[in-house]
Amino acid sequence: MITGADIHLELTGEGPLRERLMRALREAIASGRLAPGVRLPPYRSLAGDLGVAPNTAAAAYGELVAEGWLTARQGSGTRVARRSSPLASEPPRRPAPPVRRPSYDLMPTSPDASAFPRRAWQSSARRALTAAPGDAFGVGDPRGRVELRVALTEYLARARGVRTAPHRIVVCAGFAHALGMLGQVLEGTVAVESYGLDFHRSLLAAAGRDTVPLRLDARGARIDELPGTGAGAVLLTPANQFPTGGPLHSERRAAVVDWARASGGLVLEDDYDGEFRYDRQPIGAVQGLDPDRVVYLGSASKSLSPALRLGWMALPEHLVDAVLAVKGPRELWSGSPDQLTLADLIACGAYDRHLRRMRPVYRRRRDQLVAVLAARAPHIRVGGISAGLHAVLDLPPGTERDALRAAGHRGLALDGLASYRHPRSVMPARDGLVIGYGTPPEHSFAGALHALCLSLPPAP
């Protein structure tokens, strides 16, 4: 039975207790802490909580009812009076300005949210929660649920060529969370690709790590520049360079591992959408070449949904304790139910089936993007390989800003290449658009492409 709201009152000032109680109640109502219609506790309960005589509380209620602050009805209790207009002491509230949302979203940030495997996730959640031990609902292990770490060990070995073990995997709340923790473990400068997410560079900077850019060419990052940087680690997207596109050449994959062995450095492998390759089998992870010198980082944000906040690190043995010390003695980031559900989704094969179902969908969208541009804007080249969830459109020099402005006017959300360029890069700046063709729902993709074509600069 609900007997009324718990309220906190300070009986400050001078005067009789009844006056001080009335003053405190008026202040609580006028400030909005007690909203219209809220049921107050019975006067005897309030008296007991405040340590005053019941008659004092009853008298205060009675006078505030007479003044119009409160109402009292048989069977309904004492409530804060409802008013047709705000109290004089309450400043008028201005309506919040409407949030303008884009009509079409081509940001390279997520997969098609409407394609999330709801039924499979629901089935896995039901099985996982039914079989979960009692400790799954207690204080979480900072390493992550062992069920998920076991499932990831098997899956990553089979699908990505990662060599690891459950005790070397640490579950985290996505790639950014992992990179922030690694930044606190690493020492010295971190080399990064000349084009990459500024957000990732800012995470490293917040952890006290300076970043130095490596140039990019048709074979990926220039690994031969690493010895001159003084870096102790390098962050790469070797499966499909983000955002410019293209895998790291096999010779450079071997070269970066040789550099790490010779210098005692580390390779941080961001396996960004490494599971989505459309013209051939996905290239295996660099981590498989040397698990003691490469940190493998993955997440469910591109394969399933960024809303899950689930990622993982396959760490060299010597880094596990240091990373766990940064993360803390308990799991504060990723809930056990989602971890157990993902473990079941992987173990029962539904995760693989979802990826197999989405690969032709995303390939068809990329092919559609290429075909539409070939027909309507043949002067615009689509860069990168047939992989991932995004493509780069190369624009004529000096046209990127105008294209972004035109896209915004047409309700189209997308990114330009300039925002990804490292501020100290010596590479010539490129004009281009980064198109996330995985983001729009299926029914709106054609409309998004139409708006995109209208936003592109004309042929010279």
Side-chain angles (χ1 to χ4, degrees), residues 149-278:
R149 290 185 283 116
V150 168
L152 285 170
T153 298
E154 184 277 331
Y155 171 77
L156 293 174
R158 169 172 53 82
R160 304 298 299 126
V162 171
R163 293 189 289 153
T164 189
H167 73 277
R168 291 171 62 165
I169 289 181
V170 173
V171 177
C172 48
F175 178 83
H177 182 210
L179 186 61
M181 289 190 287
L182 287 170
Q184 298 179 60
V185 171
L186 301 174
E187 296 181 357
T189 300
V190 178
V192 297
E193 295 158 331
S194 275
Y195 279 87
L197 281 172
D198 178 64
F199 177 51
H200 292 168
R201 297 192 293 265
S202 67
L203 287 171
L204 292 169
R209 308 275 72 82
D210 187 26
T211 59
V212 57
L214 301 176
R215 287 182 294 170
L216 297 165
D217 59 24
R219 294 188 167 196
R222 291 283 301 273
I223 304 302
D224 60 309
E225 295 179 353
L226 270 173
T229 62
V234 57
L235 172 62
L236 299 172
T237 51
N240 185 25
Q241 203 286 319
F242 184 80
T244 61
L248 186 65
H249 191 274
S250 58
E251 292 180 0
R252 295 187 181 179
R253 290 160 65 92
V256 76
V257 170
D258 289 342
W259 166 83
R261 290 170 177 168
S263 66
L266 283 171
V267 180
L268 310 182
E269 180 177 13
D270 177 5
D271 198 27
Y272 175 82
D273 62 25
E275 292 146 322
F276 293 112
R277 182 75 187 256
Y278 313 127

Side-chain angles (χ1 to χ4, degrees), residues 65 90 129 206 210 216 228-229 232 237 241 260 383 413 417 443 455:
V65 168
E90 182 180 337
L129 293 178
D210 187 26
L216 297 165
T229 62
T237 51
Q241 203 286 319
L417 262 182
H443 68 272
S455 306

Side-chain angles (χ1 to χ4, degrees), residues 111 160 239-240 271-282 301-304 351 354-360 362-363 385-389 437:
R160 304 298 299 126
N240 185 25
D271 198 27
Y272 175 82
D273 62 25
E275 292 146 322
F276 293 112
R277 182 75 187 256
Y278 313 127
D279 55 350
R280 50 162 291 174
Q281 284 292 108
S301 64
K302 303 300 181 291
S303 57
L304 288 171
Y351 186 74
H354 174 69
L355 292 176
R356 285 197 299 270
R357 180 170 65 88
M358 295 311 298
R359 285 188 189 108
Y362 293 140
R363 176 174 186 168
I385 58 175
S386 183
L389 302 180
Y437 53 78

Side-chain angles (χ1 to χ4, degrees), residues 306-322:
L308 292 177
R309 306 313 309 146
L310 283 173
W312 44 85
M313 291 181 277
L315 295 163
E317 188 86 44
H318 67 277
L319 278 184
V320 174
D321 289 343

Side-chain angles (χ1 to χ4, degrees), residues 22 26 58-72 78 83:
M22 291 172 60
R26 289 192 196 99
Y61 274 10
E63 290 200 35
L64 290 175
V65 168
E67 293 177 4
W69 293 90
L70 304 176
T71 61
T78 303
R83 295 171 179 264

Side-chain angles (χ1 to χ4, degrees), residues 126-139:
R126 186 182 301 112
R127 285 192 300 268
L129 293 178
T130 300
D135 67 357
F137 306 100
V139 176

